[in-house]
Amino acid sequence: MAWLSRQLKLEQKKPLVSGYIREQCDGKLEVPTDLIKVIRWFLDEVLYWSMHGKFLQKFCNKKVGQILYSSTYNYNEIEFCNYWYPSGNSTQYADQVIFGVTLTRLPKHIQSVTMYYRLQCRKFHCLWKSIHTFKQSNIGHNNCVGWNPHNLRLSRCKLAEQVDFNCFVSVIRVVYDEHDQIDLNVESVEELLQITRHQWVLGEQEMTQCQQCDVGKTFYSVNFGRSENWCLFMSPKGFNFEQNQAADAERGSKLMLYLRLLRLPINIKSLNINYVLRAHYAVKHSGVEYKIKEAQSVSVGYGFNECTKQCFVDEIPNITQLAALSFDVKIEIEEMVDMNGKMIPKQHWQKYGVVMNDNYTKIKSLSLKNWFV
């Protein structure tokens, strides 16, 4: 059950549990609905905090630099907790709610742990998705990560009756001290196609949210790839606060777009990929449509500066000038490097869970763990 919980996508768990219970009961609802909810809750690995009343008042009264912590939670011997700086961690970020994850315990025999984390506040459309590697050598001075500090103003929370936060953490790689050995139980067992395609079309509601957001706020596509390996995200009004204070929107900073790696294949240290990205946008008032294209070959990995690549630098106007916007991306794996720094020949890619698109229909299931036992 624990393995199933780790491998299934979050949205797949609820119908699976409900369907299984109904099947065991021959379609009759003999199991109380509340019990079904409890079982589904047990499989739900998202952590939730609902702030209202006196606790929300206490949250909103925090001063710059004051911090709140959640209870700890763990993956085996690795321990995490969440934190908030309700009014920012410094005067530079005053009135900005900073929400993040802290590593509180990493056993000495573990060299590093890489996690995928998602931080969210639905009420104010705040979202942050990324990966981070905590290293034993840096413990003590580099054990915190958080969302973009310009996602949410505390002054907005003060006007709300209730504010909810949630966090999802998934450990995706554990490397032990002995011979850089990895824990195969946390590695992806889902096939990854050599070529991945995705389209992100911003609907009317999402366009409105982007146009009304503060400078520096970020918005995300859904995760894509068979193991949710990738995502796109953008800052619709960029991060240049001085330019965005200009009365003329045309002088505002450009939209900033990024491609982010969220998961590597099993036992792989880095990928060399070629991505082809197309943007299609229409300008307000004039109605003129533009199509632009970017193609790049880059290396991606779990390192801090390796997982995120900026795209279309200074090419797409500030979101306030746009009437429509969409992106199409194609990502092709060109080379793979294993944990020992060796290039993997293409004929061996299947051992690592990477399947050529033409062969995918022939391969319905791979028992990847057997390759490394």
Side-chain angles (χ1 to χ4, degrees), residues 106-138:
L106 185 65
K108 295 294 184 181
H109 64 277
I110 295 178
Q111 183 184 125
S112 66
V113 57
T114 302
M115 68 173 186
Y116 163 78
Y117 65 104
R118 187 192 69 208
L119 302 166
Q120 192 169 25
C121 176
R122 291 183 181 274
K123 183 175 183 65
F124 297 111
H125 312 294
C126 302
L127 179 63
W128 184 260
K129 298 187 291 188
S130 190
I131 57 174
H132 186 79
T133 299
F134 294 104
K135 297 181 179 180
Q136 188 70 247
S137 57
N138 293 334

Side-chain angles (χ1 to χ4, degrees), residues 89-104:
N89 60 352
S90 66
T91 54
Q92 179 184 357
Y93 299 119
D95 195 43
Q96 301 288 352
V97 178
I98 297 177
F99 177 34
V101 181
T102 295
L103 176 70
T104 58

Side-chain angles (χ1 to χ4, degrees), residues 164-189:
D164 298 317
F165 293 90
N166 70 69
C167 171
F168 173 68
V169 171
S170 177
V171 173
I172 58 177
R173 176 159 292 170
V174 176
V175 181
Y176 296 100
D177 264 342
E178 188 175 353
H179 309 301
D180 292 335
Q181 181 184 356
I182 66 172
D183 186 343
L184 296 175
N185 291 319
V186 303
E187 295 285 313
S188 174
V189 296

